[in-house]
Amino acid sequence: MHEVTLLEPFRALFYAPFYLAEALGAFARQGVRVRLETAGSPDAACARLLAGEADLAWSGPMRPLLLRSRDPACTLRSFCAVVMRDPFLLMGGQRRPGFRLEDLPGLRLGLVAEVPTPVWCLRGDLAARGIDWSALTATTGRGMAENAEAVAEGRLDLAQLFEPFASRVEDAGGALWYAQASRGHTAYTALYATEAGIAARRPALQAVIRALAEALAAIRRLPASEVAAHLAPRFPDVPASHRVRGIARYQALGLWDAGPAFPREAYDRLAAAMLASGAIDRVPDFEACIDTTIVEDALR
């Protein structure tokens, strides 16, 4: 039995396949004992991984893309695609049929503060439509819980949220205006490790990949209620109705439709958004940032 320390950056419903692999016994079936530890933030997970305190972590492929754009000697590589569509939702305080991103200027928008990728991706969406980011009336620096409350109370017109915060807004009378997943495949969450770590623990990491392949297949076929029930121990403070609604919404949006193979278009779309938002000034090669061979070998 291989033993692996796996870091989650923070707890989120859209990370469901990782928790489902554990709940369904997929890790054990593949001969790996996974010790799951919560780092607290994507930056903290990256720091612990680079310090050798864990074997691998999951996070956005933005991490090796960003760091390798600054330093080609960076050794982080992503592999095993899990979330390849954007889980963030623009939730408004009331129904607004026919809403388009072109309608954003002039509206009071609350941007997510916890992580940068959804903001970069939204900026990329607007740039592709020729919309000047500076034309937005955007609130920054507030967490999703606070923004969800502000939308419900009418202090914001809409906010950028993931589940279950989106369900809270709906319970208060709000509605989904735009799903960022609708732009298509965008590299959002995968495993990552250092090149040395991948080489040293390759059989163990391949076992993790096979377990996640099982979980991804399961989450595509199981009803949302069954997935939500499996996730309950990891989300004791989230109402069952919100767990079910959140999983069902993400299934309908195709959040987990791509992995574990890594779609090149997902990487290209993320890189384009990061360029448009000024997060990077050059795009590292796909092959430098993404290890496709470890997944291919694992699934043979």
Side-chain angles (χ1 to χ4, degrees):
M1 180 75 74
H2 300 288
E3 294 195 1
V4 169
T5 299
L6 171 61
L7 298 176
E8 65 169 347
F10 52 85
R11 190 66 42 85
L13 273 178
F14 68 87
Y15 292 146
F18 297 101
Y19 312 127
L20 192 60
E22 177 186 56
L24 295 177
F27 290 129
R29 265 192 303 280
Q30 295 299 333
V32 62
R33 183 179 296 112
V34 173
R35 182 169 63 252
L36 183 62
E37 298 182 4
T38 305
S41 73
D43 287 345
C46 182
R48 288 189 59 187
L49 188 63
L50 289 172
E53 297 175 8
D55 299 297
L56 75 167
W58 76 69
S59 190
M62 56 74 66
R63 186 68 49 180
L65 202 159
L66 179 68
L67 295 183
R68 282 180 178 266
S69 74
R70 297 171 178 172
D71 179 9
C74 174
T75 65
L76 292 179
R77 298 188 82 189
S78 287
F79 57 95
C80 190
V82 176
V83 184
M84 288 290 114
R85 291 185 190 265
D86 192 327
F88 280 80
L89 310 158
L90 298 186
M91 303 297 299
Q94 64 282 316
R95 289 182 56 80
R96 183 159 173 166
F99 172 81
R100 303 178 307 151
L101 290 182
E102 288 83 353
D103 301 327
L104 274 177
L107 295 173
R108 298 167 298 168
L109 168 65
L111 294 172
V112 60
E114 287 88 341
V115 286
T117 306
V119 178
W120 294 339
C121 288
L122 182 59
R123 290 189 68 161
D125 292 342
L126 297 183
R129 290 165 171 78
I131 302 171
D132 186 352
W133 182 256
S134 65
L136 270 59
T137 304
T139 298
T140 60
R142 294 177 181 170
M144 284 180 286
E146 187 175 355
N147 280 343
E149 183 178 338
V151 169
E153 294 177 354
R155 291 181 282 113
L156 288 174
D157 296 309
L158 73 167
Q160 195 179 37
L161 308 169
F162 63 48
E163 289 288 4
F165 298 102
S167 291
R168 293 185 193 176
V169 170
E170 286 179 328
D171 285 355
L176 172 63
W177 288 11
Y178 175 77
Q180 293 190 189
S182 64
R183 84 170 65 89
H185 285 141
T186 306
Y188 225 87
T189 307
L191 296 174
Y192 75 111
T194 63
E195 291 175 349
I198 293 171
R201 303 299 313 277
R202 194 173 185 87
L205 301 190
Q206 288 177 324
V208 173
I209 291 167
R210 288 190 291 270
L212 285 170
E214 280 191 48
L216 285 164
I219 206 167
R220 291 166 188 153
R221 73 170 187 272
L222 294 177
S225 58
E226 187 172 340
V227 175
H230 283 300
L231 268 54
R234 289 288 181 183
F235 295 90
D237 298 328
V238 176
S241 62
H242 287 184
R243 276 187 280 112
V244 174
R245 195 188 315 172
I247 294 298
R249 193 196 311 273
Y250 284 150
Q251 286 175 324
L253 289 171
L255 214 69
W256 306 294
D257 69 345
F262 209 108
R264 176 62 185 262
E265 65 173 335
Y267 177 87
D268 291 342
R269 189 168 280 120
L270 174 64
M274 292 175 71
L275 272 175
S277 65
I280 58 175
D281 57 15
R282 71 175 190 90
V283 178
D285 290 341
F286 175 82
E287 292 77 13
C289 292
I290 310 299
D291 186 337
T292 59
T293 60
I294 188 172
V295 176
E296 293 167 358
D297 292 347
L299 300 182
R300 282 195 178 123

